Amino acid sequence: MQVEDISAVVSGLKTLYDDAIAQINKSFGEYAKTGKREASATPCYPYLLVEIKTRKKDGVSPYAFVSIRGAGWYGTSITNPKIFADYLIDQLSSIEAAYEVDYYVGYCNHAIPVAFAIDPSAFEMDKEYSSRIGEYFPLPNLKHIHDDLADGAVEHPSDRPLPLSLFPALRTDYSLQRLRHYSGTNPEHFQKFVIFTNYQRYVDEFIEHAKKVVGKGNYTGFASPGQGVIEKAEDYRSDPAFKGPQMPAYHLIAENNEGITLINIGVGPSNAKTITDHVAVLRSHCWLMLGHCGGLRRTQILGDFVLAHAYLRDDQILDDVLPPAIPLPTIAEVQIALTEAISSVMSLTGQMMKRHVRTGTVVTTDDRNWEMRYEKLRTRLNQSRAIAIDMESATIAANGYRYRVPYGTLLCVSDRPLHGEIKLPGTAEAFYRSRVAQHLNIGLEAMSILKGEAQSGTLHSRKLRSLDDPVFR
């Protein structure tokens, strides 16, 4: 069905999706009661088809839209259009500013898995009915849930529309479900500027910051696991008995989801990959890693900052899909924003900046006890000119590169194991008190700067686009 404009596209996709979900709910409700399913068509995902026609004579040159191959047909399946409405409007508006475009919406041939549409456990049903759901309703088909498109591992058939986005509906829905599970919050609450950390103390500081600003200025709400959304600081209630999720997420909500999300990913590259695999479908504006690291240079002192401008990937977690030989470029806009934020928050310039902030290579390892095999690592660390070591930064940067999300890393030196300063309870406590709040404030200030870059269209770098990327960033 052809529709007139972008507003009609979003409205049409919402109607198609809502109708499909309503039909699944009705069919499953009947099945839960009777063990039978009414004979009806299996609801499928909505599909957006775009015909890009001639280039406008006075059309703008859209930033980061380097994969429009000219006139032709482009399409993608869509899920949860309510969550992605702002993103769709932004992307289609950028295309329409440069090209003559026609839009079509309808259904594709991929059925919506029942587990992605409803929560079967919310229905009361006989155990026999529960065990036979797969006989009557489609379940997720892992053959269609992959990252071949993002990884450049697929050749586009010439007789089909070219891909419009990196993530089709099935892949997106899979990640939305995983985000609920791992973060303990609703995907619609995730904001477009995401901070990852590996310590609870950053969460505590973020909560205190959120309570100061929620309901004021740009921030309309704050969402966290077990709390839902609050609009006033006094409504926040901490429950010591609450059992949190594996990687809890906290969302300082702003209009168009342009606020800040902080996720405590815990320790290790496996967690870093897991959560970024799923956050990626929400098309963030930027990912920042704020955490602690081991300083490798004698001149560093506890509390110094490390601004990564290169990564040595010894995490091994993404080697099969992104070989370590592939370089990870520095994103200039992110580096500049972090540098400006450090100067602003710490009032540092010139030599004082150089004394307390080191730029260089960060090693990310999958071995928490790497110190015990230092003799084997010595040559590699020397050749890489590494200045710090952690367990998450390069993994997040690598997935940011894979998924075309601008990324950056600012770490704080919490120990210097090669020089006799290991983490001990007393020294660690003093370090935490003096640096965590300051470190977080730098990250928040950097995100504020990057928000302006995103709104002006200069943040999303062309260096992250491949030779035959989909049109949408």
Side-chain angles (χ1 to χ4, degrees):
M1 174 181 68
Q2 185 171 5
V3 295
E4 293 183 1
D5 53 28
I6 295 173
S7 177
V9 167
V10 175
S11 176
L13 291 171
K14 286 180 179 178
T15 298
L16 292 171
Y17 182 76
D18 290 346
D19 288 349
I21 298 301
Q23 187 176 340
I24 294 172
N25 269 286
K26 180 181 177 182
S27 297
F28 197 85
E30 182 65 24
Y31 175 78
K33 293 177 182 178
T34 66
K36 299 178 182 179
R37 180 183 176 181
E38 59 186 31
S40 59
T42 300
C44 294
Y45 285 109
Y47 191 85
L48 170 60
L49 184 64
V50 176
E51 183 184 12
I52 297 179
K53 298 165 35 172
T54 57
R55 181 73 179 262
K56 293 180 177 178
K57 291 183 179 180
D58 58 348
V60 300
S61 180
Y63 288 104
F65 283 88
V66 296
S67 295
I68 297 179
R69 305 178 197 181
W73 295 89
Y74 301 79
T76 187
S77 52
I78 300 287
T79 188
N80 279 277
K82 179 181 177 182
I83 291 178
F84 296 99
D86 290 336
Y87 173 73
L88 290 168
I89 292 170
D90 175 68
Q91 298 300 287
L92 294 174
S93 296
S94 295
I95 300 170
E96 196 174 277
Y99 292 87
E100 299 291 343
V101 186
D102 283 340
Y103 305 108
Y104 302 82
V105 297
Y107 286 113
C108 70
N109 58 2
H110 278 156
I112 302 177
V114 65
F116 291 171
I118 62 175
D119 180 4
S121 66
F123 293 78
E124 292 185 8
M125 71 179 79
D126 186 274
K127 287 185 179 180
E128 180 184 353
Y129 300 165
S130 179
S131 66
R132 296 170 57 196
I133 290 174
E135 298 177 19
Y136 294 88
F137 295 90
L139 300 178
N141 187 340
L142 294 181
K143 291 191 299 183
H144 301 296
I145 301 175
H146 52 72
D147 281 325
D148 286 356
L149 186 56
D151 292 329
V154 61
E155 185 71 27
H156 310 305
S158 59
D159 60 344
R160 298 181 188 175
L162 291 167
L164 195 58
S165 67
L166 280 176
F167 303 107
L170 274 170
R171 169 66 171 85
T172 301
D173 252 346
Y174 173 74
S175 283
L176 295 181
Q177 296 298 326
R178 295 287 82 197
L179 284 174
R180 289 187 179 92
H181 171 72
Y182 286 117
S183 76
T185 55
N186 195 314
E188 69 183 33
H189 295 147
F190 276 74
Q191 303 298 291
K192 294 176 183 176
F193 297 89
V194 183
I195 295 174
F196 300 99
T197 189
N198 50 13
Y199 285 93
Q200 177 63 33
R201 292 171 186 265
Y202 287 83
V203 173
D204 297 338
E205 288 291 341
F206 188 69
I207 291 172
E208 292 306 309
H209 171 76
K211 288 160 67 174
K212 293 176 183 177
V213 301
V214 66
K216 305 171 185 176
N218 297 324
Y219 298 113
T220 59
F222 178 62
S224 60
Q227 293 280 332
V229 180
I230 64 167
E231 297 179 353
K232 297 181 293 183
E234 53 266 32
D235 292 336
Y236 185 86
R237 298 287 183 269
S238 178
D239 180 5
F242 175 70
K243 303 297 182 183
Q246 182 177 346
M247 290 180 272
Y250 304 81
H251 314 285
L252 194 48
I253 299 169
E255 187 177 358
N256 297 328
N257 288 75
E258 292 198 341
I260 298 174
T261 286
L262 181 138
I263 308 174
N264 183 2
I265 63 176
V267 176
S270 180
N271 279 2
K273 177 188 182 298
T274 295
I275 198 65
T276 50
D277 277 348
H278 302 311
V279 175
V281 304
L282 296 174
R283 308 317 296 144
S284 312
H285 280 315
C286 184
W287 293 346
L288 284 186
M289 175 64 198
L290 301 183
H292 298 163
C293 65
L296 299 179
R297 300 302 179 98
R298 293 185 183 277
T299 53
Q300 291 170 310
I301 62 174
L302 301 189
D304 279 357
F305 289 111
V306 171
L307 176 58
H309 73 190
Y311 301 90
L312 180 61
R313 292 173 51 200
D314 277 351
D315 54 333
Q316 304 181 64
I317 197 75
L318 284 163
D319 290 3
D320 288 343
V321 292
L322 188 69
I326 302 297
L328 303 181
T330 297
I331 309 302
E333 293 80 4
V334 180
Q335 299 297 96
I336 292 170
L338 283 168
T339 302
E340 291 179 355
I342 294 168
S343 177
S344 174
V345 172
M346 298 182 66
S347 300
L348 293 178
T349 57
Q351 289 300 316
M352 289 301 293
M353 174 77 82
K354 291 183 178 181
R355 183 177 299 177
H356 294 289
V357 182
R358 293 289 295 270
T359 60
T361 299
V362 171
V363 183
T364 293
T365 178
D366 61 352
D367 182 3
R368 179 57 189 88
N369 298 314
W370 63 271
E371 301 96 330
M372 295 193 294
R373 57 185 184 91
Y374 171 63
E375 288 304 318
K376 293 183 178 180
L377 292 174
R378 179 196 299 272
T379 301
R380 186 163 172 78
L381 294 179
N382 278 328
Q383 290 178 341
S384 69
R385 310 298 193 266
I387 63 172
I389 186 167
D390 81 340
M391 298 188 70
E392 300 86 22
S393 294
T395 313
I396 290 171
N399 251 2
Y401 179 83
R402 284 180 72 208
Y403 297 130
R404 290 71 162 170
V405 178
Y407 50 85
T409 298
L410 182 68
L411 303 176
C412 193
V413 176
S414 60
D415 60 334
R416 296 191 314 140
L418 300 186
H419 310 291
E421 288 186 295
I422 62 175
K423 285 182 182 176
L424 297 172
T427 56
E429 184 63 32
F431 161 76
Y432 293 139
R433 284 199 304 267
S434 66
R435 277 293 185 259
V436 170
Q438 185 181 62
H439 195 183
L440 178 64
N441 285 336
I442 292 170
L444 295 173
E445 176 63 19
M447 288 304 204
S448 178
I449 295 169
L450 289 167
K451 183 177 180 179
E453 296 280 353
Q455 290 175 341
S456 68
T458 58
L459 175 58
H460 294 283
S461 174
R462 295 182 180 184
K463 66 171 67 75
L464 293 181
R465 304 301 295 265
S466 71
L467 299 177
D468 56 355
D469 256 19
V471 180
F472 287 178
R473 66 162 181 82

